[in-house]
Amino acid sequence: MAVSLPIDIDSVKGFLAADEGEALFEMALQASTLAPCLEIGSYCGKSTVYLGCACRQNNSVLYALDHHRGSEEHQLGEQYHDPELYDAGVKAMDSFPVFRDTLARAGLDDTVVPLVTSSSVASRHWATPLGMVFIDGGHSEAAAQTDYRCWAGHVVRGGILAIHDIFPDPADGGQAPYHIWQLARASGLFEHLPTVNTLGLFRRR
């Protein structure tokens, strides 16, 4: 059954399929009863709306972590570059103004806490247990490994680890998210849950 959202989700730029968004909502609805949730890679806020609306139902918080300068594939001249998100004044991609507009339109300003920095910097002194971690940041091997190494261990028992863009076949997409999915599955820390489209899901043991 489709999730009822406060805005037209198709009006938000992003690469999240509807079934993946609905799965994120359902997982966050459970996980946010345990502790706050965190997403890595907010972009313009599509996943943030699903996760934030679930957290709001439980009077919880979603930390939305993104430096908002874009992943490798978003840069000038790359495959997923969006000219509307390019700030010519600083000669860099900047999705933060659009992200904030999404939060305002969805009424999530009192639920979502934006963290505008890199994954490694944000994690340096992090001490808050997390009910859910959703990894959808940079898709280079280094970025994905950093996100997994820095954040997976903060998921509380019974909480959820979600990883986007899982492509077992290299012909279908980049392999870095699949590699950290494999790490999570082999770690012994997580119970493997059914994958939804390209969304890998685990529950912390």
Side-chain angles (χ1 to χ4, degrees):
M1 185 170 65
V3 175
S4 178
L5 298 172
I7 60 173
D8 175 11
I9 199 65
D10 291 332
S11 71
V12 183
K13 295 176 185 285
F15 310 97
L16 189 73
D19 57 349
E20 296 168 340
E22 290 162 11
L24 285 177
F25 178 90
E26 294 299 333
M27 292 292 104
L29 199 59
Q30 302 169 31
S32 59
T33 64
L34 303 173
C37 299
L38 169 83
E39 71 167 354
I40 305 165
S42 302
Y43 194 50
C44 295
K46 181 164 281 191
S47 59
T48 317
V49 172
Y50 284 104
L51 293 165
C53 286
C55 289
R56 183 170 58 188
Q57 288 198 24
N58 292 317
N59 196 32
S60 188
V61 163
L62 171 67
Y63 296 102
L65 171 58
D66 196 317
H67 49 56
H68 288 284
R69 292 304 188 191
S71 300
E72 299 81 3
E73 64 271 18
H74 299 142
Q75 302 310 312
L76 196 65
E78 297 299 323
Q79 182 179 4
Y80 292 102
H81 176 70
D82 185 340
E84 293 181 1
L85 301 178
Y86 187 73
D87 185 338
V90 296
K91 297 182 180 180
M93 183 264 195
D94 186 5
S95 56
F96 190 52
V98 177
F99 174 72
R100 291 206 64 177
D101 178 67
T102 299
L103 294 187
R105 291 192 294 122
L108 290 171
D109 284 325
D110 293 333
T111 300
V112 177
V113 180
L115 302 175
V116 186
T117 186
S118 70
S119 183
S120 59
V121 170
S123 71
R124 196 173 296 162
H125 298 288
W126 191 269
T128 302
L130 296 167
M132 180 173 179
V133 168
F134 172 48
I135 299 177
D136 191 22
H139 284 14
S140 69
E141 198 67 44
Q145 294 282 341
T146 295
D147 291 340
Y148 178 77
R149 184 182 69 252
C150 289
W151 296 102
H154 290 289
V155 178
V156 300
R157 182 171 296 181
I160 298 295
L161 173 66
I163 304 171
H164 193 222
D165 289 333
I166 304 303
F167 296 110
D169 185 346
D172 295 329
Q175 292 294 282
Y178 179 58
H179 291 160
I180 63 170
W181 178 90
Q182 289 177 306
L183 286 177
R185 189 161 187 178
S187 69
L189 295 175
F190 298 97
E191 172 196 356
H192 176 231
L193 303 177
T195 298
V196 177
N197 200 338
T198 74
L199 180 69
L201 296 168
F202 298 90
R203 191 181 304 277
R204 181 72 185 261
R205 297 185 192 276

